[in-house]
């Protein structure tokens, strides 16, 4: 992905972000009018009514559609695991992906129960991102390409539900939250899949050092993503961007 003017990989992403469609208020008004015509007390359907309005707003039409609901799971590995922040080795990420693919995970049963489609995106698990305490997780070109790959998740759906997994992912999430919202590193870290107190200390220390290392670049959300994020989060960002452009509601 390149821009004719500067050639920077993020340029195309920035151009897409300039013109994202907002909620369609006319579709919302049509939904409310329809609700008022039904034989029931106002508001009797509770959240079903507000959910219907939400779907109309972001799909851009009334009535809303929920015929093709897709659940997309993105999986990636993180170099920061080398800092002792996780209770399990990175091989577990691939094992969990295999479990998704072999119909053995909880998400498989949820999808079966409600008739949802499931897509599993395995993102270069054999090549973890760089350790964020030492370098940017991804180069700009890598991050932009992964976002473009994630945009494929929206194919053929009316509603997109997205999630992720990967050993070290809560450390990455904590680093991004710390960079975006401030506070102390300790405010954002938790035990994840079960690290002990010493592991929790290492985790907070890794988040603190990573944010300090990249501090000069963290005013730009795309730089936060590529420096502190991972392939699965970049792909998820791409999926959300594509969904917005196509008027597809997203559930995280």
């Amino acid at each position: 992905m390149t821009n004719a003017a500067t050639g920077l990989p993020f340029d195309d992403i920035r151009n897409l972000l300039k013109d994202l469609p907002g909620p369609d208020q006319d579709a919302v008004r049509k939904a409310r009018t329809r609700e008022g015509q039904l034989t029931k007390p106002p508001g009797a359907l509770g959240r079903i009514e507000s959910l219907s309005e939400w779907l109309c707003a972001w799909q851009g039409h009334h009535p809303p559609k929920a015929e093709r609901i897709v659940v997309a799971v993105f999986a990636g590995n993180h170099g920061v695991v080398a800092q002792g922040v996780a209770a399990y080795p990175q091989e577990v990420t691939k094992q969990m992906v295999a479990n998704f693919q072999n119909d053995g995970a909880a998400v498989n049963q949820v999808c079966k129960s409600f008739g949802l489609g499931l897509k599993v995106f395995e993102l270069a698990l054999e090549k973890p991102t760089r350790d964020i305490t030492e370098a940017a997780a991804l180069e700009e070109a890598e991050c932009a390409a992964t976002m473009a790959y994630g945009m494929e998740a929206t194919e053929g759906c009316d509603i997109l539900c997205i999630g992720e997994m990967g050993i070290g992912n809560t450390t990455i999430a904590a680093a991004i939250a710390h960079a975006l919202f401030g506070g102390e590193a300790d405010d954002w870290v938790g035990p994840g899949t079960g690290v002990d107190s010493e592991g929790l200390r290492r985790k907070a220390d890794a988040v603190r050092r990573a944010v300090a290392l990249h501090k000069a670049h963290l005013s730009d959300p795309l730089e936060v993503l590529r420096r502190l994020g991972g392939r699965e989060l970049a792909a998820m960002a791409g999926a959300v961007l594509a969904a917005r452009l196509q008027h597809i509601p997203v559930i995280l």
Side-chain angles (χ1 to χ4, degrees):
M1 302 178 70
T2 59
N3 178 277
T6 67
L8 296 175
F10 277 153
D11 285 348
D12 285 345
I13 302 294
R14 297 188 201 283
N15 288 335
L16 291 174
L17 289 169
K18 291 177 183 176
D19 298 309
L20 290 179
D24 188 324
Q25 297 302 328
D26 184 56
V28 172
R29 284 190 290 271
K30 289 178 180 178
R32 289 174 180 167
T33 298
R34 175 59 178 158
E35 290 291 346
Q37 295 169 349
L38 300 178
T39 306
K40 64 175 183 61
L45 297 181
R47 287 203 66 205
I48 291 178
E49 296 181 16
S50 60
L51 286 172
S52 174
E53 292 178 12
W54 177 78
L55 285 175
C56 289
W58 292 105
Q59 288 183 339
H61 58 74
H62 177 270
K65 291 178 63 177
E67 297 171 4
R68 300 169 300 172
I69 303 174
V70 170
V71 176
V73 178
F74 299 90
N77 272 325
H78 305 278
V80 74
V81 169
Q83 300 297 321
V85 299
Y88 297 96
Q90 290 182 332
E91 289 77 10
V92 172
T93 304
K94 193 166 187 65
Q95 293 168 7
M96 284 298 299
V97 168
N99 201 27
F100 297 147
Q101 293 169 338
N102 292 323
D103 206 27
V107 68
N108 298 100
Q109 312 319 312
V110 171
C111 289
K112 276 185 177 182
S113 297
F114 295 97
L116 313 179
L118 176 63
K119 296 180 181 180
V120 180
F121 294 84
E122 184 176 346
L123 297 157
L125 299 184
E126 73 287 348
K127 185 183 179 183
T129 54
R130 298 169 188 84
D131 184 343
I132 61 172
T133 67
E134 299 175 353
L138 296 165
E139 295 296 332
E140 184 172 329
E142 291 178 288
C143 189
T146 306
M147 292 179 73
Y149 178 67
M151 295 174 84
E152 298 176 12
T154 61
E155 184 179 355
C157 68
D158 301 316
I159 300 172
L160 180 65
C161 309
I162 61 177
E164 53 79 39
M165 73 83 45
I167 299 303
N169 58 357
T170 58
T171 302
I172 294 301
I176 289 175
H178 182 29
L180 292 175
F181 304 116
E184 300 296 331
D186 302 80
D187 298 333
W188 298 106
V189 300
T193 53
V195 295
D196 57 18
S197 58
E198 183 59 24
L200 194 60
R201 184 198 63 76
R202 291 192 298 269
K203 192 172 182 178
D205 182 60
V207 168
R208 188 179 301 110
R209 287 188 288 127
V211 172
L213 176 66
H214 302 287
K215 185 176 181 180
H217 307 278
L218 300 181
S219 61
D220 181 346
L222 288 174
E223 284 295 304
V224 174
L225 177 62
R226 85 163 184 94
R227 289 174 177 275
L228 299 176
R231 290 189 182 89
E232 80 286 12
L233 291 181
M236 289 170 70
V240 172
L241 174 57
R244 284 288 307 278
L245 291 168
Q246 298 173 64
H247 297 279
I248 298 171
V250 176
I251 299 172
L252 297 170

